[in-house]
Amino acid sequence: MAVSAPVGIDELLERVRARYARVDPQAAYEAWRDGDALLVDIRYQALRERDGVIPGAVVVERNELEWRLDPQGSHRLPEAVSHEVRVVVICNEGYASSLAAASLHALGLRRATDLTGGFQAWKSAGLPTTPAPTPDPDPDPTEAPA
């Protein structure tokens, strides 16, 4: 088996982005609003807590993305009903989401794409955001419910 020459991250991003059409914040918002896209936020918790979330977006940690969106997977989200679902992956600035979208394409999710500029571009465009919900603290198992 031939080993290909190493590529840098910039070239890799260029290659994967050439395989699909990325969407800008307004187009992503309109597709979601019209029921034609599932917005998937892969940012880690600290960024969601700092900057907020997009109402209606599904939060899926990056390390669980493929398992949650594979329509054939046993750990899929209820929204992962087919390979035809249009998924818009959102990271903080639009870099990790490109690699994630390419990974979803490898699973057969041919309509997967990512948000150009990520959450920061969404927020700068004045599109809806809300503060991240505060996680419920783990209840003390020795305490009786009120």
Side-chain angles (χ1 to χ4, degrees):
M1 178 161 90
V3 178
S4 59
V7 297
I9 189 61
D10 293 331
E11 184 177 339
L12 179 61
L13 280 171
E14 189 176 311
R15 287 180 186 184
V16 299
R17 288 172 174 168
R19 297 179 193 157
Y20 62 89
R22 301 178 78 206
V23 294
D24 65 32
Q26 189 63 42
Y29 173 73
E30 290 170 7
W32 172 80
R33 182 194 62 206
D34 295 345
D36 186 41
L38 175 64
L39 303 180
V40 179
D41 186 342
I42 63 169
R43 294 175 303 140
Y44 53 88
Q45 185 174 346
L47 288 176
R48 294 190 310 270
E49 289 173 358
R50 182 188 78 188
D51 296 335
V53 296
I54 297 171
V58 176
V59 173
V60 178
E61 296 284 339
R62 174 61 189 99
N63 63 321
E64 297 180 355
L65 184 69
E66 292 81 0
W67 284 267
R68 299 292 184 234
L69 293 179
D70 179 4
Q72 299 173 339
S74 59
H75 299 293
R76 72 181 174 273
L77 292 171
E79 296 89 347
V81 295
S82 85
H83 286 91
E84 298 306 313
V85 172
R86 183 175 184 200
V87 175
V88 178
V89 183
I90 303 164
C91 69
N92 194 48
E93 294 182 348
Y95 296 99
S97 58
S98 295
L99 299 175
S103 182
L104 294 177
H105 275 256
L107 284 176
L109 291 149
R110 65 176 184 78
R111 296 182 70 208
T113 186
D114 77 309
L115 182 65
T116 305
F119 180 86
Q120 296 306 321
W122 178 282
K123 192 172 180 178
S124 292
L127 294 168
T129 63
T130 60
T134 53
D136 292 332
D138 290 334
D140 182 349
T142 61
E143 226 175 52

